[in-house]
Amino acid sequence: MKLLIVADPLEVFKPYKDSTYAMMREAATRGHGIYACEPAHLHWQRGAKVTAQVRRLTLTGSLEAWYEATAPEPCALTDFDAVLMRKDPPFDSEYFYATHLLQRAEADGARVFNSPRALRDHPEKLAIMEFPEVIGPTLVTRSADDVRVFHAEHKDIILKPLDGMGGTGIFRVGPDGMNLGSITETLNRNGSTTLMVQRYLPEIVNGDKRILVIAGVPVPYSLARIPQGSEVRGNLAAGGKGVAQPLSARDDAIAHTLGPTLWQRGLLLVGLDVIGDSLTEINVTSPTCFAEITQQTGFDVAKMFVDALEAALAKAASA
């Protein structure tokens, strides 16, 4: 098969831990052709199919100069058996426009994973609100008054921007309410921007668990990202320590509650974030942690992913 990866510049990849690289490597070992472009390389002209300036990659097996690439050439996205949208957040205007171009390519016959429409329909923080039975107390608002009422009820809270990534912009306010007003003003920009407020979950000391769900089926291990020192954030980008562990019964139940529904909507790969017994985020843009789980447990996450991708394409071809 020919697989096109739409991602960040190849030069910024860290192949020793990059999940997209793990996907490429597994697909290449099966003889699939690997191609790459960036969202900026997408092109749509009147009356024509969506194209991109695409390079074919050869993986070298080295973690240093890890690929060789041909010169870019224009190709229609329908020339590929699958297009994998793996651009990292933030989900900004350019990401939004890219999903529209990818959706147009779908209308032409391209098969895109994750579905561009599903990417737009599942903002990574807001998407949890559809599943109240598996989340803790959560509020989405612009109102500083609403935030104060929520804090008065729950005492210990977390405030976060809806467009944050890697733990950026996350604040904890304890029972004393110290700096609640200034933090709220910073995040909601004096009422012009929506933010999320959640009850603080003390189980974070045991890790913010990333549960990968592939074609509706959970990987049997999570990666618990454990805060270090006085930090309240477990995100690896914020210095958290990643520890792989088997799914708990509750983890498995959450994954099986959401997984089939999300896969039916076109989300081949999802990363569920769970603290204690509560879902806190649904990551759909470029879920990661393949390498850490595989290295620590021996379970080959990339193999499971490419198996699922091949099965989805075979099913589509026979339909």
Side-chain angles (χ1 to χ4, degrees):
M1 295 190 299
K2 294 172 64 178
L3 305 179
L4 174 62
I5 315 294
V6 183
D8 287 302
L10 299 175
E11 294 74 21
V12 305
F13 275 44
K14 297 177 180 177
Y16 68 92
K17 69 171 187 176
D18 196 291
S19 296
T20 304
Y21 172 76
M23 296 172 184
M24 291 179 176
R25 184 181 58 198
E26 176 63 24
T29 64
R30 303 184 188 202
H32 301 318
I34 308 299
Y35 299 77
C37 72
E38 300 169 30
H41 300 149
L42 296 172
H43 176 93
W44 186 18
Q45 188 164 333
R46 184 184 66 175
K49 293 182 176 181
V50 175
T51 64
Q53 289 290 329
V54 169
R55 295 186 288 173
R56 177 160 187 167
L57 305 185
T58 300
L59 305 188
T60 65
S62 169
L63 293 182
E64 298 300 326
W66 62 272
Y67 71 93
E68 297 173 352
T70 62
E73 60 177 327
C75 296
L77 270 60
T78 52
D79 292 342
F80 301 91
D81 294 281
V83 178
L84 304 182
M85 178 52 160
R86 291 288 300 173
K87 172 72 177 69
D88 284 344
F91 195 110
D92 55 15
S93 295
E94 287 304 321
Y95 195 111
F96 177 79
Y97 301 144
T99 66
H100 279 287
L101 268 64
L102 292 172
Q103 189 171 350
R104 179 64 250 175
E106 277 189 324
D108 292 335
R111 298 188 180 99
V112 184
F113 303 94
N114 284 329
S115 155
R117 180 185 294 276
L119 289 173
R120 292 197 304 274
D121 287 349
H122 295 81
E124 300 195 323
K125 292 178 175 61
L126 278 177
I128 66 170
M129 300 296 278
E130 183 182 349
F131 306 97
E133 69 276 16
V134 296
I135 69 175
T138 303
L139 168 70
V140 178
T141 186
R142 292 188 187 186
S143 167
D145 290 339
D146 289 350
V147 173
R148 283 192 289 271
V149 170
F150 189 90
H151 177 262
E153 179 181 358
H154 297 289
K155 310 302 181 187
D156 201 350
I157 64 173
I158 293 290
L159 302 93
K160 61 176 73 170
L162 291 180
D163 60 354
M165 58 172 289
T168 58
I170 292 179
F171 294 89
R172 177 185 178 186
V173 176
D176 61 6
M178 184 71 71
N179 292 325
L180 177 61
S182 61
I183 291 170
T184 302
E185 290 168 9
T186 298
L187 293 180
N188 80 346
R189 300 179 186 177
N190 294 310
S192 66
T193 301
T194 305
L195 71 155
M196 175 172 278
V197 193
Q198 295 173 302
R199 185 181 69 190
Y200 173 72
L201 300 172
E203 297 91 340
I204 184 62
V205 298
N206 298 317
D208 180 356
K209 295 172 286 186
R210 166 60 56 83
I211 301 169
L212 295 170
V213 182
I214 299 172
V217 178
V219 171
Y221 298 90
S222 70
L223 189 75
R225 296 158 299 171
I226 302 172
Q228 301 297 293
S230 60
E231 183 60 72
V232 299
R233 301 170 298 173
N235 308 73
L236 299 182
K241 178 182 179 182
V243 178
Q245 58 190 33
L247 298 188
S248 69
R250 174 63 171 174
D251 295 338
D252 190 68
I254 291 174
H256 278 98
T257 297
L258 277 65
T261 297
L262 297 175
W263 173 219
Q264 187 177 38
R265 296 174 183 175
L267 294 167
L268 174 64
L269 174 62
V270 173
L272 305 178
D273 289 350
V274 173
I275 298 175
D277 290 338
S278 298
L279 177 72
T280 60
E281 287 189 21
I282 300 175
N283 295 270
V284 299
T285 49
S286 58
T288 187
C289 298
F290 279 38
E292 293 88 348
I293 291 174
T294 299
Q295 290 163 5
Q296 293 184 38
T297 69
F299 183 88
D300 195 332
V301 182
K303 179 181 183 301
M304 180 178 174
F305 175 81
V306 178
D307 283 346
L309 176 63
E310 290 176 342
L313 294 173
K315 182 178 180 180
S318 64

